[in-house]
Amino acid sequence: MTAFTGVILAGGQGSRMGGQDKGLLELQGQPLYQHVLQRLVPQVNIVLISANRNIDRYQASGCLVVTDSMPDYPGPLAGILSGLQNSKTEWVAFCACDTPWLPEDFVARLWQQRGDAPAVWVRSTLRDHPALALINRSLANDLEAWLLRGERRLMQFLREHGGHAVTFADPESAFRNINTPEDLVNEEDH
């Protein structure tokens, strides 16, 4: 049986949220990242949280918190790099802290449809979601080199390293992420 590490990406600057730490914003009475954590825990063996501020609040979840190994918030790829570098398992499942309705079997479905690829990500009916991905730890060194060159495009990195999308026919709402205060208000109404 393959073991998986799950990583919740919560290390962004929250620029579209007025600089607030998006993972800690409340939805239905609990922080956004907690919704993701509840859906991710049954799918993996251990969960790490990639965060760059409010570390103590994330640690209160009981999860190990890892910070970017690169300065200046270089984006989700930096959180993915830290997750890969800190994983004790060969395979790491990533999800953003702002996708509270994540399918409860997304890791298994990515695993079953990855073929020989070292990385796969979710494609919904409308678009790709490269931050919802399953990535082999062997890509860590290449990813670090990519970031050091100033590259920031996640999907391009995954494609250039043999990855492919896995199509999910779930309702689009399963992959909806909360990027703005308006999105948060809209989700409260659901």
Side-chain angles (χ1 to χ4, degrees):
M1 185 68 197
T2 300
F4 298 101
T5 297
V7 176
I8 298 173
L9 299 170
Q13 291 179 289
S15 52
R16 289 179 283 189
M17 281 290 187
Q20 296 181 78
D21 190 333
K22 202 187 304 188
L24 297 176
L25 295 176
E26 294 224 344
L27 174 66
Q28 299 173 350
Q30 65 180 8
L32 266 178
Y33 89 91
Q34 283 283 351
H35 291 273
V36 177
L37 180 62
Q38 289 167 3
R39 288 177 177 258
L40 189 58
V41 163
Q43 301 185 56
V44 297
N45 302 82
I46 185 171
V47 176
L48 309 177
I49 298 174
S50 169
N52 292 308
R53 51 190 176 149
N54 300 305
I55 306 298
D56 55 333
R57 296 209 30 217
Y58 287 110
Q59 286 174 328
S61 68
C63 297
L64 175 66
V65 178
V66 297
T67 57
D68 289 354
S69 56
M70 304 189 127
D72 304 323
Y73 296 95
L77 275 175
I80 289 172
L81 176 61
S82 290
L84 293 173
Q85 291 171 330
N86 286 281
S87 173
K88 301 217 182 330
T89 64
E90 186 180 352
W91 289 95
V92 186
F94 294 91
C95 51
C97 68
D98 63 355
T99 52
W101 317 123
L102 188 71
E104 294 175 354
D105 63 347
F106 105 100
V107 175
R109 286 158 62 186
L110 287 174
W111 176 251
Q112 290 161 359
Q113 296 184 52
R114 74 177 173 80
D116 293 334
V120 286
W121 65 91
V122 171
R123 174 179 291 149
S124 66
T125 52
L126 294 180
R127 65 182 190 92
D128 287 284
H129 301 272
L132 300 176
L134 183 64
I135 303 173
N136 191 284
R137 193 177 60 192
S138 66
L139 294 182
N141 289 341
D142 286 351
L143 178 54
E144 184 173 30
W146 179 268
L147 281 164
L148 289 170
R149 286 197 309 270
E151 295 285 353
R152 299 292 180 263
R153 294 179 304 261
L154 172 54
M155 206 156 58
Q156 183 179 344
F157 173 82
L158 296 174
R159 276 197 182 116
E160 287 187 17
H161 288 81
H164 63 83
V166 172
T167 301
F168 281 63
D170 303 61
E172 200 61 34
S173 60
F175 308 104
R176 189 168 43 238
N177 56 349
I178 297 172
N179 287 315
T180 65
E182 295 76 28
D183 291 345
L184 191 60
V185 169
N186 292 337
E187 286 303 312
E188 283 288 351
D189 297 336
H190 286 90

